[in-house]
Each structure stands twice: as C-alpha cells, then as structure tokens.
DNA sequence: AGCTGTACCTGCAGGC
DNA sequence: TGCCTGCAGGTACAGC
C-alpha cells in the first residue's frame, strides 16, 4: 500500500487529532508488530506519554512523544493507522494494536498482512532500525536537486531498482517509480548511468510532480490503503501505467506491458519507453 | 556492489 | 463449488 504520498496523507489526516493527546494505555494483539521492543516494556514505556509532534521520514511515521521517546511506525504493505473519535466503534478483524487516549478516543493499527512494524525508541537509537538510519534523500525536500539525482544515477545498476532503493531516495515505491519513468519516457530496465542529462533533469521534475499530485489526491487506493480518517485516496484514477497492462497508452495507443524488474511487477509503454531511447518522451 | 530468491502474512483472482 | 497457483503498494537477509 503505502508509498510517500500515502504515508504523508496518513500523517496529515491524523496530525491535528492526535497532537497533545496523552496515551492512557496500549493494547497489542499481534506481538510481532514490535520486532525491536519487548512487549511488556513497550506497553509500560508508552503509557502516559503525550504526543508532541508527528512527522514523516521516507515511509516511516514518527510520533514524537514527551520524555524524549519516539513511536516509529512502518505500514509496509497493508498497514492502516485509523483515528477513532468514538471508542464504541467495533474493532475489525486485523486490528494489530490500539492506542487508547485519555480523552476516550483511539488510534488503531489495522494490518491485514501483518508486515507492519512499531518501534519505541529514543532519537539516538535509530541505528537499531535497519532501513531507518540509512534512508536517502527526501524527494520533496530542497536537498533533492538535479545535481543530487545526477550523483545517485552514476552507479551501474538498473534505474528502477535504484529508484526503489530507500537508501538512495526515501519514499518512492512501485507505483510512483513506474509512473515517474513513464512520464519521463525511460525504460525501467535502463542502466542508471546511461541516462542523459536531459533525461535526469526531466526525471527529477517528474518524480517531484507525481508525488505532489498524488498527495493532492490523498494517495492511491488500489485495495487496502486508507487515510487516517478511513477514506480512500483517489490518485488511482490518475495513474497512467501502473495497473494498466493490456490497455492502450494515453500518449501513443500502444498496449501497456507488464514485466518483472527488480522482483516487482513493472508497467511501461514499449513505445514511449524504448530501451534504446535517450531523450524522447 | 548489485542481483536473485526467499521470507514475513493474508486474501483474492484466475485456471481447471 | 472447491482446490491450486500466483500475485499484491515493502523490506531484510542470504548467497552468488
């Protein structure tokens, strides 16, 4: 489910309603949700904490708590963070955890595939979470410049796997990589270091634009993703290649193909994204 | 260093 | 209808 736009939307939709709330208690129904925390200690440590800030880094959601603690949440494939103002709302089947606030409201973590993870850490303990302390540049931050992208693509590896690599750019996933490459006219199996300066410049713009547009649409709901209010996103209506295999390309009418790249289903237009194409789109 | 396969889970679609 | 296979928005890890 969640890539940068979805995680950002979840943060935005729950931020105002959880800020300054105090956690009365926490119920964990699926202990493996806490790979780096002892369950009993987690429940003990989080009890009584107040949420003082909420932010996103890559696909991680970071709750700043008082006492210098952070609750760090990764939704993985199917995780949902849902704010429930009404505690009477029935608990659904895949609810892995519930944070109970002192005012009677709740924040629930629902996760059909159970890949999602919670960590309760101090900021200096980020090194304990593989993937968190190695995150690359935030694509919507000013640090993500064309020069930065040029530097990243110097390596001899395929462009799709590079864009999916969270150590390079934090937050892109399968949907937005496919969409960015389509908008730029780059074949997903091209070697990153074969991209021309023109292509890199266009790719840089397209990555930023597709992410911004997706955030404006509250993310992409293929199946499970919901905002923090339980609503679907609607960027799925604006996708151009992801999930469009067998359909005609919006630019040229050629049939969109689906192949496997970097172990992921990959959608592209064989005409607009030619293997040997350098600067057309 | 990069690539591949496997693993973690559940549910769903498609083929027979 | 049921069984089986493969696949899904993510990522860590082992092994080549």
């Amino acid at each position: 489910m969640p890539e940068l736009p979805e995680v950002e939307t979840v943060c935005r939709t729950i931020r105002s309603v959880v800020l300054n709330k105090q956690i009365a208690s926490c119920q964990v129904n699926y202990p493996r949700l806490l790979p780096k925390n002892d369950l009993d200690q987690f429940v003990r440590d989080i009890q009584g904490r107040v949420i003082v800030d909420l932010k996103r880094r890559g696909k991680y959601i970071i709750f700043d708590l008082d006492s210098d603690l952070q609750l760090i949440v990764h939704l993985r494939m199917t995780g949902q963070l849902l704010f429930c103002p009404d505690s009477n709302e029935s608990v659904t089947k895949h609810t892995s955890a519930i944070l109970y606030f002192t005012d009677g409201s709740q924040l629930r973590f629902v996760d059909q595939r159970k890949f999602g993870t919670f960590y309760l850490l101090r900021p200096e303990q980020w090194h304990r979470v593989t993937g968190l302390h190695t995150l690359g540049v935030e694509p919507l931050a000013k640090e993500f410049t064309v020069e930065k992208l040029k530097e990243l693509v110097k390596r001899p590896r395929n462009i799709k796997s590079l864009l999916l690599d969270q150590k390079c750019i934090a937050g892109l996933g399968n949907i937005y990589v496919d969409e960015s490459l389509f908008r730029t006219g780059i074949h997903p199996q091209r070697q990153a270091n074969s991209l021309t300066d023109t292509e890199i410049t266009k790719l840089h713009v397209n990555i930023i634009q597709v992410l911004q547009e997706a955030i404006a649409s509250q993310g992409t709901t293929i199946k499970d993703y919901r905002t923090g209010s339980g609503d679907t996103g609607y960027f799925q209506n604006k996708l151009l290649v992801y999930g469009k295999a067998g359909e005609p390309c919006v630019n040229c009418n050629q049939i969109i193909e689906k192949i496997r790249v970097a172990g992921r289903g990959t959608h592209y237009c064989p005409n607009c994204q030619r293997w040997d194409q350098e600067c057309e789109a």
Side-chain angles (χ1 to χ4, degrees):
Chain A
M1 134 198 185
E3 306 181 30
L4 187 153
E6 290 75 36
V7 177
E8 178 66 25
T9 302
V10 169
C11 285
R12 291 185 185 186
T13 47
I14 62 177
R15 188 171 201 282
S16 62
V17 285
V18 301
L19 224 50
N20 300 317
K21 292 210 167 151
Q22 184 176 30
I23 299 163
S25 61
C26 178
Q27 174 188 333
V28 177
N29 300 325
Y30 183 68
R32 291 176 70 173
L33 172 67
L34 311 164
K36 306 279 177 179
N37 285 102
D38 172 72
L39 174 57
D40 293 334
Q41 185 172 6
F42 174 87
V43 171
R44 205 179 323 127
D45 288 349
I46 204 165
Q47 195 167 339
R49 301 282 62 78
V50 173
I51 298 173
V52 296
D53 200 5
L54 177 58
K55 54 205 181 195
R56 178 191 60 75
R57 174 78 174 99
K59 298 172 194 170
Y60 292 85
I61 297 168
I62 301 166
F63 295 82
D64 281 340
L65 309 176
D66 64 344
S67 302
D68 199 31
L69 277 173
Q70 290 178 322
L71 171 65
I72 299 180
V73 176
H74 198 303
L75 307 173
R76 306 283 165 162
M77 297 284 267
T78 56
Q80 305 172 349
L81 272 180
L82 300 170
F83 180 75
C84 299
D86 180 2
S87 59
N88 297 324
E89 207 160 316
S90 64
V91 175
T92 55
K93 183 176 173 189
H94 299 291
T95 305
S96 290
I98 303 178
L99 290 181
Y100 298 92
F101 296 116
T102 52
D103 69 352
S105 61
Q106 304 173 356
L107 188 64
R108 297 181 183 175
F109 186 67
V110 177
D111 187 15
Q112 179 185 99
R113 289 176 72 181
K114 299 185 166 76
F115 292 162
T117 41
F118 275 26
Y119 312 95
L120 189 62
L121 302 169
R122 301 187 185 286
E124 65 271 19
Q125 294 174 318
W126 276 29
H127 66 274
R128 287 172 54 187
V129 181
T130 319
L132 179 60
H133 71 290
T134 54
L135 283 175
V137 66
E138 279 293 327
L140 296 182
K142 62 179 187 307
E143 289 75 21
F144 182 56
T145 58
V146 177
E147 291 311 312
K148 177 69 183 172
L149 185 57
K150 279 184 186 169
E151 187 190 312
L152 288 171
V153 300
K154 276 181 186 164
R155 301 193 163 283
R157 60 188 289 194
N158 113 16
I159 185 63
K160 170 143 184 177
S161 102
L162 184 146
L163 295 177
L164 285 172
D165 187 345
Q166 303 299 298
K167 295 190 286 300
C168 295
I169 301 175
L172 290 180
N174 206 29
I175 295 178
Y176 300 109
V177 167
D178 279 6
E179 293 295 310
S180 300
L181 289 174
F182 171 74
R183 289 183 181 208
T184 317
I186 295 173
H187 191 289
Q189 287 173 309
R190 282 270 300 279
Q191 284 292 106
N193 60 6
S194 78
L195 300 191
T196 64
D197 280 1
T198 310
E199 286 176 321
I200 298 168
T201 303
K202 288 168 72 174
L203 179 60
H204 175 258
V205 169
N206 286 327
I207 287 171
I208 293 170
Q209 283 184 353
V210 78
L211 293 175
Q212 286 176 337
E213 291 169 22
I215 290 171
S217 294
Q218 312 241 83
T220 299
T221 299
I222 301 296
K223 185 171 176 291
D224 301 289
Y225 161 70
R226 296 293 184 276
T227 73
S229 323
D231 300 320
T232 63
Y234 46 96
F235 196 72
Q236 62 277 11
N237 301 320
K238 302 177 185 177
L239 296 173
L240 301 180
V241 280
Y242 184 88
K244 304 292 183 190
E247 297 180 34
C249 169
V250 292
N251 288 340
C252 73
N253 256 17
Q254 182 104 16
I255 299 302
I256 301 299
E257 289 188 4
K258 183 175 180 184
I259 58 174
R260 190 151 287 266
V261 181
R264 317 296 301 279
T266 298
H267 316 73
Y268 77 106
C269 171
N271 182 44
C272 296
Q273 295 167 270
R274 290 174 196 269
W275 176 262
D276 54 2
Q277 190 168 13
E278 294 223 321
C279 352
E280 302 307 312

